[in-house]
Amino acid sequence: MLELGLAGELPHFRIDLDRLAPLSDYVAHVVRDNYPNLDVPLHARWRHFVVRGWNLWEEIAQRTAWRGPAERVRAEFDLAVVSVLLDAGAGTDWRYNDASIGATLGRSEGLALASLRMFERGVFSSDSRDPLRADAARLATITAGDLAAGFAVDEHNPLTGLEGRAALLARLGHHMRDNTHIFATRDTARAGGLFDHLADTATDGELTAPAILHALLVHLGPIWPDRLTLGRIPLGDTWRHRAIERADASDGLVPLHKLPQWLSYSLIEPLRTAGLRVGDIDGLTGLAEYRNGGLFVDGGVIAPRDPAQTTRAHSVDAEFVVEWRALTVALLDRLARLVREHLGISAQEFPLGALLEGGTWAAGRKIAKEKRSDGRPPFRIVSDGTVF
């Protein structure tokens, strides 16, 4: 997609690579502001559980009497899976108020905090004696009403894609219940069963990040809404674009997998807690979502051929959106090299996942606020709550 764009052959966007260097300087400054010592963690859900200096999950974990180290890691997998799956865009109006810490948050941070509180209360558990779990028996019965209560949704506090989020969790519950050989090798069927599966497939105590993604795509693939399939295999966050031409069954297909990749990043830390090593983190891509994508639009690196596209609503499967998201993934790789040069740091010290956390996601939000007072993304996307 990027090669076609550089050749001026894409239908929807133009690319100006001369704007990439100044944008990399902008991102590098954001990284230094956020992490002056350049010790940047991976872009993972765990960052959003730290609010105003309080590590809320760690506080919950420390006061829990775990039956062993593996039980905590299973719970962390449970939490990461449901929280990431619930993280698709919230819209501009929704907010979550947590009176216990005096915080009112919107967007991804608010979704994280609300999902953590639901997890803490046992909303995703079928066992009242063991609230810190997300098991098949409970998730299979979850409703939009359950989530509306947990997210404090009402007519004055609307949340985009509520039905889609609930349906996704319910499909996960049914899928786990029907695949106990993956999700229930040490316990009843639960999302944390993925930890046991991954640990069993490790080689000499090591996994690669692409192997984590592969497992998620294979074992969570059937939960996604009815979209494209190939050989009866659901392709999830994969879409069509006329410019992508191949001489095989993948002709016209653009795989992006934003939520599974973010979940892959988010599972690395629990796996390390369990004593496993995770390699080839840059084997994952950048995330094709509106903060990273908005950064390149607001930074002038890519621009729609038709300026009126900024005022229209676009569905997630629209070719315009597919093109934008694919260019985002490709340009993140190029941006990463320039930001590392600005910071004087190596790819090993500063993998792509750290760039997402320390720089591009935060920079995308910052530049959006500079361009538009409400900080909204440059394009309006109609989401069903299961993509971004």
Side-chain angles (χ1 to χ4, degrees), residues 1 10 30 73 110 139 157 205 238 270-271 274 291 309 314 323 383:
M1 193 77 79
L10 287 178
V30 170
V73 176
L139 292 182
N157 193 36
T238 298
L271 287 166
R291 286 302 176 202
Q309 298 285 19
H314 304 274
E323 189 173 308
S383 174

Side-chain angles (χ1 to χ4, degrees), residues 194-347:
L194 280 170
F195 161 66
D196 298 304
H197 171 74
L198 287 169
D200 288 343
T201 60
T203 301
D204 297 325
E206 183 168 356
L207 291 161
T208 66
I212 298 170
L213 176 61
H214 180 267
L216 294 179
L217 293 178
V218 170
H219 300 303
L220 295 184
I223 76 172
W224 301 105
D226 292 335
R227 294 181 183 138
L228 296 176
T229 61
L230 190 60
R232 298 184 180 179
I233 297 173
L235 299 184
D237 188 6
T238 298
W239 313 93
R240 292 199 179 277
H241 193 290
R242 75 186 105 153
I244 303 302
E245 299 179 355
R246 302 189 187 92
D248 58 24
S250 66
D251 182 46
L253 298 181
V254 182
L256 296 166
H257 302 306
K258 182 264 179 176
L259 285 177
Q261 291 209 86
W262 194 36
L263 181 54
S264 298
Y265 283 117
S266 298
L267 296 181
I268 290 172
E269 288 166 54
L271 287 166
R272 287 173 170 170
T273 297
L276 295 168
R277 300 183 304 280
V278 179
D280 192 16
I281 293 173
D282 275 356
L284 302 175
T285 76
L287 301 181
E289 47 84 54
Y290 65 83
R291 286 302 176 202
N292 291 322
L295 175 69
F296 292 114
V297 174
D298 289 334
V301 178
I302 59 177
R305 293 184 180 276
D306 178 5
Q309 298 285 19
T310 60
T311 64
R312 298 171 184 157
H314 304 274
S315 63
V316 293
D317 63 342
E319 190 179 76
F320 176 86
V321 175
V322 177
E323 189 173 308
W324 173 44
R325 297 180 71 204
L327 289 174
T328 296
V329 170
L331 287 166
L332 282 168
D333 285 340
R334 294 199 175 204
L335 183 71
R337 292 193 290 270
L338 294 174
V339 171
R340 289 168 186 144
E341 291 175 8
H342 275 290
L343 298 175
I345 196 168
S346 69

Side-chain angles (χ1 to χ4, degrees), residues 90-95 151-162:
T92 58
D93 299 324
W94 177 81
R95 297 289 184 275
F151 285 125
V153 173
D154 58 32
E155 60 181 325
H156 305 294
N157 193 36
L159 178 63
T160 301
L162 196 62

Side-chain angles (χ1 to χ4, degrees), residues 170-212:
R171 284 194 296 273
L172 172 61
H174 289 290
H175 178 66
M176 292 192 299
R177 187 183 59 194
D178 295 340
N179 291 273
T180 55
H181 64 291
I182 298 296
F183 296 96
T185 60
R186 306 289 194 282
D187 195 350
T188 57
R190 59 188 292 186
L194 280 170
F195 161 66
D196 298 304
H197 171 74
L198 287 169
D200 288 343
T201 60
T203 301
D204 297 325
E206 183 168 356
L207 291 161
T208 66
I212 298 170

